Amino acid sequence: MKCGAKRYIVEAERNNEKQINSIIARTPAEARKKFRSTYGDQASIISVSEVKRRVII
């Protein structure tokens, strides 16, 4: 895991099916780039959102 990395949820449509994946990246643009390199350019990305961490003390 890189310094400053966060977890992003990428919602995409591929082969007429919606799929949700979790990707670790520094920025939303990097998350999109990693998703496209893994699943190809055929998948259309619908949204990218950051996962907020809950701190329990």
Side-chain angles (χ1 to χ4, degrees):
M1 194 165 167
K2 293 181 179 180
C3 178
K6 301 171 187 147
R7 184 173 303 274
Y8 290 94
I9 299 294
V10 178
E11 183 180 344
E13 186 173 342
R14 187 169 166 232
N15 298 333
N16 295 328
E17 295 179 8
K18 280 191 178 181
Q19 73 183 87
I20 298 173
N21 294 337
S22 175
I23 296 179
I24 296 174
R26 290 183 182 178
T27 63
E30 186 179 355
R32 290 173 186 269
K33 186 176 179 180
K34 285 185 177 184
F35 182 86
R36 286 191 185 115
S37 69
T38 304
Y39 295 101
D41 293 334
Q42 302 300 330
S44 62
I45 297 173
I46 299 169
S47 70
V48 177
S49 59
E50 181 182 341
V51 175
K52 302 291 184 182
R53 294 184 190 179
R54 289 186 285 162
V55 179
I56 301 172
I57 299 176

